[in-house]
Amino acid sequence: MSTFSAIGEEREIDRDEYTPTVEPQPTWCPGCGDFSVLKALKQALPEVGRTPEETLLCTGIGCSGKLNSYLDTYGFHTIHGRSLPVARAAKLANPDLEVIAAGGDGDGYGIGGNHFIHTARENHDMTYIVFNNEIFGLTKGQTSPTSPKGHKSKTQPHGSAKEPLKPLSLALNAGASYVARTAAVNPNQAKEILIEAMEHDGFAHVDFLTQCPTWNKDARQYVPYIDVQESDDYDFDVSDKVEAAEMMRETEEALHEGKVLTGRYYVEEGRPSYGQEKRAIGEMPEEPLAERYWDDDYEWERSYDQFVGKHE
Amino acid sequence: MTDEELIWRISGGSGDGIASTSQNFAKALMRSGLNVFTHRHYPSRIRGGHTYTEIRASADPVRSRGDGYNFLLALGDSFARNPQEGAVYGNEEIKPLSENLDELREGGVIVYDEGLLDPSEIPNFDERVEENGWHVYPLDLRGLARDMGREVMRNTAGVGATCALIGMDLEHVEDLMRDAMPEKILDPNLEILETAYEQVSEEYDVDASDVSVPTGEHDETQVLVSGSDAIAYGAIDEGCRFIAGYPMTPWTEVFTIMAQNLPKLDGISEQVEDEIAAAALAVGASHAGVKAMSGSSGGGFALMSEPLGLAEMTETPVVLVEAMRAGPSTGMPTKPEQSDLEHVLYTSQGDSQRVVLAPGTVEEAYEQSRLAFRLAYEYQIPTILLYDQKLGGELVNVPKSHFDREPTPTLGKTLSEDALADEPHSADGKFHRFQHDVDDGVSPRSIPGQKGGRYLATGNEHDPTGHISESPDNRVAQIDRRLQKLEAIRADLDTEDTGSYAGPDDAEYGILTFGSQQGTVEEAVDRLNDAGVSVKSLSVSDMLPFSTEEVQTFVESVEDVLVVEMTASGQFRGLVQKNLGQYGEKLSSLLKYNGNPFEPGEVVDGFEAAIIEGDGDASGHQTTFVPAAGD
């Protein structure tokens, strides 16, 4: 038996394998968009051929963070905003793992915003799903970084004086090599986009519009949605950064005018992932570091032989 | 204080090569057969400002800076600000000479660069020279360097002059220059060194002072290493191949050594966006099966509180190092203090479930860095190595053989896929990663990618599979199990002998200290005993779980105890009292928090004033006495 025999295993995968028996039924509110993320993931993972035990799902805190309880893989339910640094280190330690990070708009664009920028910039080969419901749900309805200007809540009684953060544009400018937006109400597109994101060799950011029927009643349910790839009204090249940026700008402004645009916005093929970049400069081993600890033949270097002599 | 030691101080401006010159000279002294110990003093400034390094060299072992010093090489400060009246920093140009006079011993030697320094700017300079019996040698070091090479080589000229005046052969210095310098600058430097040596030998009576280089001999090969080197090498020898960090003085030294060396070992070093990320990356890498570390200094470590708590709750092994400097807030970035003790013990929410070790010497820094990894991985618990700017930066000679040990890259209680198959699983195949009833409280772990090892790690309280649970019974079982590990670690540490003793077993009085003050306190204990005072010391390393039994035995065995630490509020004494729960009337404090570590003489005088005379008034020192409770 090898060390990590779940990795690279070729077999048929049943989507029920991802459903835990302890708590098969999520506790999200009826009508919550989060159900769609779970469903799309359960559909996408078998299609990309990744089993529960070669997948590491790292989440943050919030309603979205409960995803780990409802998707049965290796999981790391971290702390608020910190799913990305945990996830990217796991990917560096063992690049053969399928690493997915997930969190909400508060988690990823607020408290974890700095990690979002830098993980995108570094272009780690991983997928990052942001459950964007434009509200803080678990703490009962406070204004979030993506809430529209003027949004009233218990903590913003006079309406938010801030412009909402624009996550697609932010991801693009930070350096993500795959940027898409999908919506809970569009399950087929969601599944397709998650498959593409996981298959993409680089940092894939998926802004997933997940309606919150409990705390964001005033907001749209993200219908009707328009797929920018399918609509004849939009024509742009997803591999062109300038055209992508313009389409993102239009999309992010349109959302607050009642128009829900979704689809792929930027896809950069061929750009080396962070792991590849590090290997190219000799700062990362060819073989997964995690395997070395199980290799009985590996001769562990000693500081005495390597470094101490120069201090003589 | 003996005449058989040389304490050589080189002073100048930050950026003038004081550090590299002194390091090479320390190595030359070591190679000549002497024991050496260095003490750095530098300002938190980009360029300029008063900086010096001291090298104490003796045939006998040296474990501390000395009391004052006996040889000054004062170079110019090439980045000194204009000394106009009202300048913020005063007349900076003269500082390499003027700022160092107070601590120069009687009969000491002064070599200064007369090309840059004019002692007539120092009030009463000539009178002070006369009063103290100093021997003064004004030399145009800059001019000499300029004539034969470049002005920056004046440090070399100063070293040449030093050698002539202390009777040291140039051989070891020249060898080192050949090792360290690229060819292009080697020849002019050698020429400058020799010329300075000859000029001084010819022009002056080099035997005028009593200050000379001692002679000594080592019975085995020595290496000159710092606490930061030792921590990094300890980590490497335990199989640590992943580090994540963000620069901050003085932790940057360990980070730099690891970042430069890990790629040579096919390891990974990550400089990341902040310290929250740095510690979270170490946790993520360890979770995925790699031995990992991070670290910072006070302010950066504050940001690590969250991932530290996550590691506690998820029982992810990780080593964090904390290099203390004077706080609060930005404090004094380049000055040592031990006042982050309570910070690392208690930061992060909930009951602390971590190990904190504070090594006292460079040798211990290596050993306890290894110990930190062993405990972290065997017991699945975050372990913090607490040290300070002093220990991190001081260079001492250590027998090379100290590092000649086998590597230990083991992951601790981590299961192979074969072993996993025999462990309890839920009906759906989920591995019981957090079992309630296990030896020592340590539940074996799996690594993502292993077949049959699937589980959830979460910062929420959780049941044996990792599933989030708020059941009271489970909560109590899990927290008791995690805390049980600390008892097992305490028993384990009792076999490690991390405590360091000095003085006679049956001494009347005691001194307690921790961390980097160990060597200084032990020298003070030797001197006090030489002077007929019956005293012994214990330097403690195990901050959490605390060496309660050992410390209690020590305190019980003496009449009075002075607790020596570099904090203003007596944090270590507080920790001792908290753990012992008694003896408050026996423990008084000697504190120092002015940015400089204790000198042995300050501990001697402070002890005599506090314990022998009882009033604590050690006049002339910047130390503070705090009497025992009820006194």
Side-chain angles (χ1 to χ4, degrees):
Chain A
M1 214 181 264
S2 79
T3 308
F4 300 111
S5 68
I7 292 172
E9 195 186 14
E10 299 282 339
R11 64 173 175 88
E12 283 293 306
I13 310 166
D14 188 319
R15 86 168 64 148
D16 289 341
E17 287 183 42
Y18 303 95
T19 305
T21 54
V22 181
E23 198 174 350
Q25 192 59 40
T27 56
W28 291 315
C29 304
C32 173
D34 294 2
F35 285 100
S36 296
V37 185
L38 178 63
K39 189 174 170 198
L41 266 173
K42 286 184 184 178
Q43 290 173 330
L45 278 163
E47 294 230 5
V48 296
R50 291 299 211 164
T51 65
E53 295 197 324
E54 62 183 324
T55 302
L56 177 64
L57 172 67
C58 299
T59 59
I61 297 294
C63 295
S64 59
K66 304 293 283 182
L67 182 67
N68 262 131
S69 296
Y70 311 134
L71 190 84
D72 196 359
T73 62
Y74 272 101
F76 205 142
H77 178 224
T78 69
I79 36 181
H80 200 27
R82 318 300 170 208
S83 65
L84 286 171
V86 170
R88 73 197 212 221
K91 186 70 183 180
L92 290 169
N94 193 348
D96 290 344
L97 289 170
E98 179 66 40
V99 176
I100 303 166
D105 42 302
D107 190 270
Y109 304 147
I111 193 168
N114 199 21
H115 309 310
F116 175 54
I117 291 168
H118 286 271
T119 312
R121 166 192 168 218
E122 292 171 4
N123 196 34
H124 290 266
D125 182 13
M126 54 189 272
T127 300
Y128 184 42
I129 305 167
V130 181
F131 295 52
N132 183 3
N133 58 8
E134 305 175 85
I135 196 98
F136 281 94
L138 195 64
T139 49
K140 305 193 173 179
Q142 297 80 14
T143 304
S144 95
T146 49
S147 299
K149 190 174 182 184
H151 177 266
K152 281 190 181 179
S153 69
K154 284 180 193 162
T155 52
Q156 301 273 260
H158 305 290
S160 168
K162 302 172 190 180
E163 281 293 330
L165 185 136
K166 297 181 172 52
L168 306 177
S169 302
L170 180 60
L172 180 76
N173 285 312
S177 54
Y178 180 98
V179 185
R181 168 174 274 175
T182 186
V185 289
N186 191 355
N188 288 330
Q189 185 207 46
K191 182 189 86 172
E192 294 301 323
I193 280 178
L194 287 186
I195 291 170
E196 287 171 29
M198 283 189 264
E199 287 181 338
H200 177 74
D201 296 328
F203 187 73
H205 167 230
V206 180
D207 185 73
F208 207 125
L209 296 171
T210 51
Q211 71 281 0
C212 178
T214 304
W215 299 108
N216 212 3
K217 288 195 176 79
D218 298 340
R220 297 152 312 284
Q221 297 295 301
Y222 305 119
V223 280
Y225 61 85
I226 298 162
D227 184 318
V228 293
Q229 265 81 37
E230 285 177 8
S231 164
D232 293 335
D233 295 342
Y234 304 97
D235 181 27
F236 72 105
D237 179 358
V238 293
S239 69
D240 186 302
K241 225 172 212 171
V242 176
E243 291 185 28
E246 176 53 28
M247 192 64 231
M248 287 175 179
R249 191 193 58 75
E250 190 176 337
T251 295
E252 288 172 325
E253 284 178 3
L255 184 65
H256 302 296
E257 290 155 9
K259 196 153 126 194
V260 183
L261 301 178
T262 61
R264 296 86 175 151
Y265 286 82
Y266 184 61
V267 183
E268 184 180 1
E269 301 288 359
R271 179 174 152 208
S273 70
Y274 187 58
Q276 288 170 318
E277 296 277 16
K278 280 198 68 110
R279 282 192 177 119
I281 58 166
E283 289 209 339
M284 186 158 150
E286 292 297 324
E287 295 298 318
L289 193 49
E291 285 187 4
R292 194 180 306 170
Y293 293 86
W294 300 85
D295 179 356
D296 293 337
D297 297 328
Y298 191 82
E299 296 214 2
W300 287 86
E301 304 88 347
R302 302 193 306 156
S303 63
Y304 182 79
D305 304 317
Q306 302 280 330
F307 309 117
V308 173
K310 72 173 185 216
H311 298 277
E312 276 178 42
Chain B
M1 217 183 307
T2 75
D3 288 326
E4 285 131 31
E5 64 179 8
L6 170 72
I7 305 182
W8 181 78
R9 183 183 283 195
I10 178 172
S11 66
S14 286
D16 276 334
I18 301 294
S20 58
T21 304
S22 60
Q23 186 166 342
N24 283 333
F25 191 53
K27 226 181 208 187
L29 289 163
M30 176 186 81
R31 285 187 183 179
S32 80
L34 295 170
N35 294 300
V36 295
F37 185 99
T38 73
H39 161 62
R40 288 186 306 176
H41 173 104
Y42 61 106
S44 179
R45 251 178 77 174
I46 299 159
R47 295 273 173 171
H50 170 50
T51 178
Y52 71 77
T53 299
E54 229 170 62
I55 304 169
R56 189 180 186 196
S58 166
D60 296 328
V62 280
R63 298 165 292 194
S64 170
R65 65 183 293 203
D67 298 335
Y69 69 102
N70 58 15
F71 192 114
L72 173 65
L73 172 60
L75 300 168
D77 179 349
S78 42
F79 304 100
R81 298 296 185 268
N82 195 347
Q84 62 191 309
E85 205 164 331
V88 175
Y89 296 102
N91 181 354
E92 292 196 337
E93 287 181 345
I94 195 64
K95 280 188 176 180
L97 184 56
S98 62
E99 292 288 303
N100 291 297
L101 297 177
D102 289 349
E103 291 160 317
L104 181 61
R105 294 180 188 170
E106 283 184 15
V109 175
I110 298 173
V111 172
Y112 71 88
D113 191 340
E114 66 174 348
L116 287 154
L117 301 169
D118 178 6
S120 70
E121 293 174 18
I122 302 173
N124 309 320
F125 180 73
D126 293 336
E127 289 87 338
R128 293 183 71 181
V129 168
E130 184 136 355
E131 272 171 31
N132 288 292
W134 291 332
H135 303 267
V136 183
Y137 303 89
L139 301 171
D140 186 10
L141 301 171
R142 181 178 67 161
L144 181 76
R146 191 173 42 207
D147 291 349
M148 297 187 174
R150 287 188 294 136
E151 262 187 39
V152 291
M153 296 175 185
R154 61 183 191 266
N155 296 16
T156 303
V159 170
T162 299
C163 289
L165 290 164
I166 62 174
M168 181 169 168
D169 198 271
L170 288 182
E171 177 198 345
H172 293 295
V173 177
E174 288 177 339
D175 280 351
L176 261 163
M177 286 166 64
R178 287 192 190 95
D179 290 351
M181 288 179 175
E183 198 142 340
K184 187 170 69 176
I185 61 164
L186 176 64
D187 285 342
N189 269 293
L190 286 172
E191 200 183 340
I192 290 167
L193 181 79
E194 283 158 19
T195 307
Y197 184 91
E198 281 158 22
Q199 272 186 11
V200 171
S201 301
E202 281 163 23
E203 286 174 31
Y204 294 97
D205 171 13
V206 295
D207 296 324
S209 86
D210 291 333
V211 179
S212 63
V213 69
T215 52
E217 202 178 336
H218 295 299
D219 47 19
E220 60 175 312
T221 305
Q222 303 288 308
V223 287
L224 188 71
V225 285
S226 68
S228 296
D229 292 322
I231 288 167
Y233 295 161
I236 286 166
D237 289 347
E238 283 294 307
C240 173
R241 292 295 182 273
F242 188 99
I243 194 167
Y246 184 92
M248 182 169 183
T249 302
W251 126 267
T252 308
E253 290 174 349
V254 168
F255 184 34
T256 305
I257 296 163
M258 292 298 282
Q260 291 182 353
N261 290 337
L262 278 184
K264 297 173 193 162
L265 310 175
D266 259 349
I268 296 172
S269 168
E270 277 290 290
Q271 183 177 321
V272 296
E273 59 270 26
D274 57 35
E275 288 90 348
I276 307 173
L281 262 95
V283 167
S286 179
H287 180 76
V290 167
K291 289 181 102 167
M293 70 184 290
S294 183
S296 192
S297 293
F301 191 81
L303 293 189
M304 296 184 168
S305 293
E306 285 188 0
L308 170 65
L310 180 68
E312 291 182 331
M313 195 54 152
T314 58
E315 299 177 71
T316 308
V318 69
V319 172
L320 303 175
V321 303
E322 215 268 33
M324 294 182 281
R325 64 190 215 188
S329 191
T330 308
M332 297 196 285
T334 61
K335 300 291 189 285
E337 207 168 272
Q338 296 179 298
S339 50
D340 289 349
L341 174 61
E342 290 178 346
H343 176 47
V344 302
L345 286 173
Y346 308 124
T347 188
S348 198
Q349 63 272 35
D351 291 306
S352 293
Q353 296 163 24
R354 71 196 68 161
V355 177
V356 179
L357 301 173
T361 63
V362 169
E363 289 95 324
E364 285 184 7
Y366 174 78
E367 281 159 0
Q368 291 181 25
S369 172
R370 297 195 65 158
L371 181 58
F373 275 93
R374 182 173 77 72
L375 296 176
Y377 280 79
E378 279 186 14
Y379 296 93
Q380 302 172 3
I381 193 167
T383 301
I384 299 161
L385 197 64
L386 180 67
Y387 67 112
D388 58 29
Q389 184 269 355
K390 173 184 180 295
L391 177 57
E394 68 197 19
L395 289 160
V396 294
N397 62 296
V398 174
K400 191 183 177 193
S401 62
H402 185 76
F403 300 96
D404 186 6
R405 307 192 201 187
E406 287 309 304
T408 316
T410 46
L411 288 176
K413 225 167 165 180
T414 306
L415 300 166
S416 67
E417 290 191 346
D418 282 337
L420 265 169
D422 298 330
E423 291 288 323
H425 286 74
S426 301
D428 60 357
K430 219 154 195 169
F431 165 54
H432 288 198
R433 159 75 179 92
F434 305 102
Q435 299 167 46
H436 287 169
D437 302 313
V438 282
D439 289 346
D440 294 344
V442 186
S443 186
R445 66 181 187 132
S446 61
I447 303 294
Q450 283 182 317
K451 220 172 198 178
R454 191 166 92 253
Y455 74 98
L456 175 62
T458 171
N460 288 60
E461 188 56 272
H462 42 269
D463 72 10
T465 66
H467 195 79
I468 294 170
S469 166
E470 295 185 349
S471 139
D473 288 347
N474 176 74
R475 162 68 174 176
V476 171
Q478 292 291 28
I479 205 160
D480 284 353
R481 179 182 58 76
R482 289 193 297 265
L483 288 172
Q484 187 196 336
K485 294 195 284 188
L486 288 172
E487 290 169 33
I489 292 166
R490 185 60 259 162
D492 188 328
L493 280 170
D494 285 339
T495 66
E496 288 283 341
D497 289 331
T498 54
S500 175
Y501 291 87
D505 281 348
D506 60 351
E508 193 178 352
Y509 301 111
I511 300 179
L512 266 179
T513 192
F514 83 104
S516 67
Q517 299 314 293
Q518 177 176 321
T520 304
V521 163
E522 292 183 353
E523 180 169 335
V525 164
D526 288 350
R527 284 198 218 168
L528 283 161
N529 279 288
D530 287 347
V533 182
S534 176
V535 59
K536 63 180 177 181
S537 66
L538 169 59
S539 177
V540 184
S541 289
D542 310 348
M543 299 294 111
L544 182 67
F546 192 70
S547 320
T548 306
E549 212 178 298
E550 184 176 21
V551 173
Q552 179 155 339
T553 306
F554 179 85
V555 172
E556 278 174 358
S557 73
V558 292
E559 284 195 13
D560 274 311
V561 177
L562 184 68
V563 186
V564 175
E565 60 186 297
M566 282 194 293
T567 75
S569 58
Q571 294 183 25
F572 179 60
R573 179 170 76 154
L575 182 66
V576 171
Q577 284 183 270
K578 175 182 177 236
N579 281 282
L580 265 50
Q582 52 182 334
Y583 304 114
E585 77 289 353
K586 262 193 180 183
L587 305 165
S588 53
S589 281
L590 186 66
L591 310 171
K592 190 171 180 188
Y593 45 89
N594 71 351
N596 297 307
F598 281 98
E599 292 180 357
E602 289 174 326
V603 178
V604 169
D605 294 349
F607 179 86
E608 287 180 333
I611 305 294
I612 309 297
E613 288 144 36
D615 61 358
D617 178 23
S619 58
H621 291 312
Q622 285 192 327
T623 57
T624 302
F625 172 67
V626 182
D631 262 24

